[in-house]
Amino acid sequence: PGRDPYLLYAASNAGSLVALLAYPTLLEPWLGVDAQLDAWAVGYVVLVGLAIGCARSVFAARGAADPAEPSSRVTRGPMEPSEAPKRARVLRWVALAFAPSALMLGVTRFLGTDVAVVPLLWILPLALYLVSFILAFARTRPMGRAACARVLPLAAVAWALAWAIGATDPVLLVIAIHLLVFTVCAVLCHGELARSRPAPSRL
């Protein structure tokens, strides 16, 4: 497991998702501003301590086997560990990362202004965005690209019809259609990003 640093993408986004959902439901209603400030301060001190501990571990293990040495599990793509990524591949990575982020902003703005002015509605697109990252970089991927590719055309047709007629009602159905199209696109883009990732030595 230590040889696959890309699992950290799934782990860190899982942590972000837990924090995103826990703050408005658990922390904010029960903790005042002063208590939250104190908790953040303690958290940052703990974070710095953990970072220093990780750095010491890395320096101590520098003489041992290189942890960035790729394993057979990680190097599934066509790129060899010694091969530097071409500019076209880098631009493709940028585009695959850009598209879901732009879609998330667009869906959030549309749902929050044109469909329903609901407090904390912006949490839904952001949570789905994080879930797509978790699915893409998890060790086992429960949602394959083939399944998403089959769902996307049907969802896109439903979205196009809703957009063409300017549908805003029923609200829940319009929200569901937009979120479905966004989620499938995000899973496809992030899945391709994970599939074409370089070897850890080129991370």
Side-chain angles (χ1 to χ4, degrees):
R3 293 186 174 187
D4 188 1
Y6 290 99
L7 281 176
L8 294 176
Y9 282 106
S12 62
N13 282 283
S16 298
L17 179 63
V18 170
L20 175 68
L21 299 178
Y23 183 78
T25 57
L26 298 177
L27 297 180
E28 199 268 343
W30 294 97
L31 293 178
V33 176
D34 292 336
Q36 292 182 44
L37 283 173
D38 294 340
W40 275 109
V42 172
Y44 276 118
V45 171
V46 172
L47 174 65
V48 170
L50 291 173
I52 293 173
C54 288
R56 291 185 61 183
S57 297
V58 169
F59 286 123
R62 178 168 279 187
D66 185 4
E69 187 68 24
S71 65
S72 58
R73 178 189 297 274
V74 179
T75 55
R76 287 190 294 265
M79 184 184 300
E80 295 297 327
S82 60
E83 181 185 349
K86 301 291 192 297
R87 180 174 296 180
R89 181 181 286 261
V90 173
L91 291 176
R92 186 165 180 267
W93 288 334
V94 172
L96 288 171
F98 172 81
S101 180
L103 284 173
M104 180 190 65
L105 294 176
V107 169
T108 301
R109 184 182 182 279
F110 175 74
L111 294 181
T113 58
D114 296 347
V115 176
V117 182
V118 178
L120 300 180
L121 182 61
W122 58 270
I123 288 179
L124 286 176
L126 180 54
L128 293 172
Y129 176 83
L130 296 173
V131 167
S132 71
F133 247 118
I134 296 168
L135 293 176
F137 286 94
R139 188 177 296 280
T140 57
R141 299 181 180 89
M143 186 180 298
R145 290 184 301 157
C148 289
R150 285 194 294 268
V151 171
L152 181 58
L154 299 176
V157 168
W159 171 84
L161 290 174
W163 178 81
I165 64 176
T168 57
D169 193 63
V171 173
L172 292 180
L173 179 60
V174 173
I175 291 175
I177 290 173
H178 282 79
L179 291 180
L180 176 62
V181 174
F182 160 67
T183 303
V184 172
C185 290
V187 169
L188 284 172
C189 290
H190 287 154
E192 184 61 23
L193 194 64
R195 189 194 67 80
S196 63
R197 67 192 186 273
S201 59
R202 291 293 177 181
L203 181 58

